[in-house]
Amino acid sequence: MMLQFVLPALVLINLWTVFRFWQDKAHAINGSRRIPEADLLALALAGGSPGAFLARHLFRHKTRKEPFTTHLQIILVVQIGAVIGYFML
């Protein structure tokens, strides 16, 4: 079944997403070069949105940043819709 490949991939992308949010927070604190928001959003779009929301909460990072927050929420809603649509077929 495809689930045996999808689940591990989702776990990995979410772990990577949390790590990259942590890195960006550390870079923000240290004043060093930041990770582009587009890269963080791309990770969320690739399936890392749960990790992105978890990292925002854990690290208190990009919680009030607009339009980043809105884009992240849109990604999550689209992904939820896609999952619901997939299982409705």
Side-chain angles (χ1 to χ4, degrees), residues 5-17 20-21 37-52 71-72 74-76 78-79 82-83:
F5 299 109
V6 172
L7 222 46
L10 285 174
V11 168
L12 288 174
I13 192 69
N14 279 281
L15 288 172
W16 184 249
T17 301
R20 294 296 282 171
F21 269 77
E37 287 184 357
D39 291 359
L40 297 175
L41 289 170
L43 287 169
L45 186 62
S49 54
H71 291 152
L72 192 56
I74 290 169
I75 288 169
L76 181 63
V78 168
Q79 288 173 336
V83 169

Side-chain angles (χ1 to χ4, degrees), residues 6 18 23 30 39 41 44 50 52 64 70 73-74 86:
V6 172
V18 170
Q23 275 186 322
N30 296 331
D39 291 359
L41 289 170
R64 291 187 271 167
T70 301
Q73 290 170 343
I74 290 169
Y86 176 80

Side-chain angles (χ1 to χ4, degrees), residues 38-63:
D39 291 359
L40 297 175
L41 289 170
L43 287 169
L45 186 62
S49 54
F53 280 97
L54 176 64
R56 283 169 38 114
H57 175 74
L58 289 175
F59 310 131
R60 295 178 179 237
H61 187 51
K62 295 205 176 283
T63 56

